[in-house]
Structures are given as structure tokens and as C-alpha cells.
């Protein structure tokens, strides 16, 4: 049996990743003395844990593994700061926390590879740093050592190569949960909250306490659980935002239909429809070209609008045209992706009003304003 004295301690809260050797070897992941596995209602079985002793202290073992190249990369960059798409233990812990699995590869969503949303991954990273410790042992016989560690400690989160009858039911339930095949899997929004029948009532999946969103918090995008301190997205805010976006899209479609009709009718009824006819081609002598308009919008977004200008990614340019003939203004309807003040990516679509030189002078959020007039 491998001696426990062969292993060294790595604390992700206090130590830098450079402490870990850039060599192959084995590792044991344990719970801190005051922590426990986040077993939620999706799992009916509580696993029996074995302990690993280090300097007269005993720690409950949850996972063991090996790295054929680098303990530093495998343990820290993939497990503690990576994503569930490349880390078995992250996926297991995230499922136990109640996070919803999503396709890992956007272009191949049916390949079966999954991960968690960006907000859930950040929450999972913080949970692991707060609740887990790691012991590592650099060696070249890592494959045989891993088998011995699984036999000795029967870690509940090791699903492959673990044939111990103890915790078998737990491993089956966890495996089904990871595969999204468990009947107990609850459809949970990306904010990892479980909505109840009463829309303002929810349950924090981190500590399980019931929470109520009062009127004063309905418009807050993020709320804090007063029991465990976990920062979570507000599902009421998300629902209202989706409804607002649907209304805006309907308004945009109506607007585009109206201006197209106005554009066609303007040849015959130019006098009566002069104030409403706003769609014209760019590139006239008075107005900016499409290239100039796009450049003006990008400059405005990065210098005056976005919280994180470097995160800007253009998605599409939906429409260009004359905004108001009377004051020689133009518009560009642009869809883009960028980080918000919380560091998460959001997709927005805005209508930008520009002057004849291609400089943005106004951002329109309410499409009714466009239809009703400048």
C-alpha cells in the first residue's frame, strides 16, 4: 500500500498553482474538516466516506485520480479552475449542487458532451476552493497507484474502475444524474434555483433554504441567500427580461414591416408619409456608408457604452436606413455579445442613431419610440 507520507498538501485557498509539480502522478481530493458533500434531493442515498490521515488530521476522501503529464495542469487548471466539460469531479459536484447540464459544443450539441453555464461554473469553482483540499504524489507508476487508491478509499465520486459494493447505489444515482437520465432530475434554470408553484417562492440549491422574492427584489438581476451567502440569479428578473425581449422583437418586426410599407408607398404618397418614411439606402452623398456606420457604432460601444470593451463580439447587422429626414439622421440595428458588470456574457440588440458623419448620437432601447417618431 502507498504510504500516506508520500503525499503533500495543496490548499487552493492559500497556495499558488506553481506549488504543484509539473510532473505525472496521483492525487487525492478530500473535504475540509468542516465541509460535506452537497447531497441534494436528486440523490436519495448518502455515501459512506473513508478518511485520509495527514499530520494526525483525518479528512474524508471524495475522489482520487491520476495525471499522465502534469499534476499542476490536471489538478488546478482543469479541476479547480476549469469547466465540467474537462473535469469528471466538477461535473459530479455540479450535478450534486443541482446545476443544469448543457451541451459543451455549440456546433455539435448532440455529441453527448456536456458542461455547465458560465455562472454555474464560477459558483462551482468557489465552492471547490472553499470546501476541498488536495493531496498529491508525483510518480511514474500512476496507473497502478490509482487502482490501489480506489480500492483503499472507495471514493464515492469515482464512477469508473470502482467496483466496491459500498456506495454502489449512490454511484448509480450519480451516474444517472450526470447522464440526465434520472427521473429525479429537476429542470433547473441557469441560476441553479428550483422554482415552486408560487412564482416568488424558490429554494437555494446551495443550502436548501426556502427563499421568497418580495416586490423590492423583483427587478434585481442577482440576489444573495442570507443563509449561506451564495450569489444567485433572480428567476423573476429572468422571466420578466425574456418577456420584455419578446415584446421588443415583436415591436421591431412591426417597425420593419411598417417602414417597408412606407418606403414602397412613399413614391405615390411622398407628401403624406414624409414623416414616417425612414428606410433608405446608405451611401448617399449626405449620409454615411454602411461601413462608416458600422465603424461608428463599434467605436461608440467600446468607448462609451460597454462595461468590458475588450469582450465585444459582433453577431449581426440587421438593418440600416434613414432615421429622420428632417434632421439628417440615420440608424443601424446591431446585435452583439459582451460581458456585463458581473463578468457574464449577455447578448443585446440595440438601434443606434447616427449623424451624417457616422457618429452615434443616441441609443434606442424602446422600439415604440422609433415607430412613434424621433
Amino acid at each position: 500500500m502507498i504510504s500516506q507520507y508520500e503525499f503533500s498538501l495543496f490548499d487552493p485557498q492559500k497556495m499558488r498553482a506553481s506549488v504543484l509539480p509539473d510532473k505525472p502522478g496521483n492525487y487525492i481530493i478530500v473535504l475540509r474538516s468542516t465541509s460535506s458533500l452537497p447531497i441534494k434531493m436528486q440523490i436519495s442515498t448518502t455515501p459512506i466516506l473513508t478518511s485520509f490521515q495527514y499530520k494526525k488530521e483525518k479528512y474524508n476522501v471524495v475522489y482520487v485520480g491520476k495525471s499522465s503529464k502534469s499534476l499542476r495542469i490536471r489538478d488546478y487548471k482543469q479541476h479547480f479552475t476549469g469547466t465540467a466539460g474537462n473535469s469528471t469531479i466538477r461535473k459530479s459536484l455540479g450535478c450534486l449542487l443541482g446545476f443544469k447540464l448543457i451541451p459543451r459544443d455549440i456546433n455539435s450539441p448532440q455529441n453527448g458532451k456536456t458542461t455547465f453555464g458560465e455562472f454555474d461554473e464560477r459558483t462551482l469553482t468557489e465552492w471547490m476552493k472553499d470546501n476541498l483540499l488536495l493531496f498529491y504524489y508525483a510518480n511514474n507508476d500512476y496507473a497502478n497507484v490509482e487502482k490501489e487508491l480506489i480500492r483503499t478509499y472507495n471514493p464515492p465520486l469515482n464512477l469508473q474502475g470502482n467496483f466496491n459494493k459500498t456506495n454502489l447505489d449512490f454511484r448509480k444515482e450519480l451516474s444517472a444524474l450526470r447522464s440526465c437520465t434520472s427521473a429525479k432530475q429537476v429542470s433547473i434554470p441557469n441560476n441553479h434555483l428550483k422554482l415552486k408553484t408560487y412564482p416568488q417562492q424558490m429554494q437555494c440549491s446551495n443550502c436548501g433554504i426556502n427563499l421568497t422574492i418580495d416586490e423590492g427584489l423583483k427587478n434585481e438581476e442577482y440576489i444573495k441567500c442570507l443563509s449561506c451567502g451564495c450569489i444567485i440569479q433572480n428567476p423573476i428578473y429572468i422571466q420578466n427580461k425574456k418577456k420584455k425581449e419578446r415584446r421588443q422583437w415583436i415591436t421591431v418586426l412591426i417597425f420593419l414591416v411598417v417602414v417597408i410599407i412606407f418606403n414602397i408607398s412613399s413614391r405615390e404618397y411622398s407628401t403624406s408619409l414624409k414623416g414616417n418614411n425612414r428606410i433608405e439606402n446608405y451611401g448617399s452623398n449626405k449620409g454615411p456608408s454602411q461601413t462608416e456606420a458600422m465603424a461608428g457604432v463599434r467605436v461608440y460601444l467600446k468607448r462609451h457604452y460597454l462595461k468590458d470593451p475588450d469582450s465585444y463580439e459582433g453577431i449581426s447587422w440587421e438593418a440600416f436606413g434613414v432615421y429622420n429626414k428632417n434632421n439628417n439622421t440615420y440608424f443601424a440595428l446591431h446585435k452583439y455579445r459582451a460581458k456585463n458588470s458581473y463578468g457574464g456574457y449577455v447578448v443585446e440588440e440595440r438601434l443606434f442613431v447616427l449623424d451624417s458623419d457616422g457618429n452615434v448620437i443616441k441609443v434606442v432601447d424602446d422600439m415604440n419610440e422609433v415607430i412613434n417618431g424621433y
Side-chain angles (χ1 to χ4, degrees), residues 48-89:
I48 299 174
L49 304 179
T50 58
S51 61
F52 175 86
Q53 184 170 332
Y54 181 80
K55 293 183 178 180
K56 298 183 180 180
E57 290 286 339
K58 291 185 177 182
Y59 302 93
N60 288 328
V61 178
V62 295
Y63 187 81
V64 303
K66 66 178 184 294
S67 174
S68 60
K69 295 182 180 180
S70 172
L71 287 167
R72 184 183 307 165
I73 293 176
R74 180 60 176 164
D75 293 340
Y76 190 78
K77 293 186 178 181
Q78 292 187 359
H79 288 331
F80 279 95
T81 61
T83 67
N86 295 307
S87 171
T88 299
I89 187 173

Side-chain angles (χ1 to χ4, degrees), residues 131-297:
N131 293 275
L132 301 179
L133 294 171
L134 182 138
F135 293 94
Y136 62 92
Y137 166 44
N139 70 92
N140 292 319
D141 193 25
Y142 44 82
N144 290 324
V145 172
E146 181 187 41
K147 294 177 182 179
E148 182 176 337
L149 292 176
I150 292 177
R151 286 195 302 267
T152 302
Y153 295 105
N154 184 25
L157 301 187
N158 281 85
L159 304 183
Q160 292 185 347
N162 190 350
F163 308 105
N164 198 313
K165 292 183 178 180
T166 302
N167 298 332
L168 177 60
D169 291 338
F170 173 82
R171 294 197 302 272
K172 287 182 178 180
E173 289 191 65
L174 177 58
S175 179
L177 198 62
R178 285 165 45 95
S179 302
C180 300
T181 58
S182 172
K184 299 176 182 179
Q185 175 83 353
V186 180
S187 179
I188 301 172
N190 194 42
N191 53 17
H192 64 277
L193 293 174
K194 294 183 280 294
L195 291 175
K196 302 299 182 180
T197 54
Y198 176 58
Q200 285 95 1
Q201 191 72 32
M202 67 184 65
Q203 187 182 68
C204 175
S205 65
N206 188 53
C207 66
I209 192 172
N210 289 326
L211 304 174
T212 300
I213 301 178
D214 57 28
E215 291 290 333
L217 294 175
K218 284 187 176 181
N219 295 324
E220 296 293 331
E221 184 174 1
Y222 294 91
I223 57 178
K224 183 176 182 179
C225 176
L226 298 179
S227 175
C228 66
C230 181
I231 303 298
I232 46 186
Q233 277 190 305
N234 184 351
I236 305 301
Y237 174 89
I238 294 174
Q239 290 176 356
N240 292 337
K241 183 179 179 181
K242 289 181 178 179
K243 291 179 181 178
K244 182 179 178 181
E245 289 175 348
R246 283 196 293 268
R247 290 195 296 268
Q248 287 180 338
W249 270 108
I250 293 173
T251 304
V252 169
L253 292 175
I254 294 174
F255 166 70
L256 292 176
V257 171
V258 170
V259 294
I260 290 172
I261 293 175
F262 284 164
N263 188 47
I264 296 174
S265 303
S266 63
R267 297 176 183 177
E268 185 176 354
Y269 304 101
S270 58
T271 302
S272 62
L273 300 179
K274 182 179 180 181
N276 293 321
N277 182 18
R278 293 177 184 160
I279 290 280
E280 290 185 0
N281 293 328
Y282 269 33
S284 66
N285 294 330
K286 295 182 179 180
S289 65
Q290 289 188 10
T291 301
E292 291 171 337
M294 292 165 65
V297 170

Side-chain angles (χ1 to χ4, degrees), residues 319-341:
F320 298 92
V322 175
Y323 184 73
N324 191 306
K325 284 186 175 181
N326 296 330
N327 58 14
N328 199 27
T329 54
Y330 304 81
F331 76 83
L333 185 61
H334 180 37
K335 188 175 184 180
Y336 61 92
R337 177 174 181 260
K339 288 184 178 180
N340 59 20
S341 56

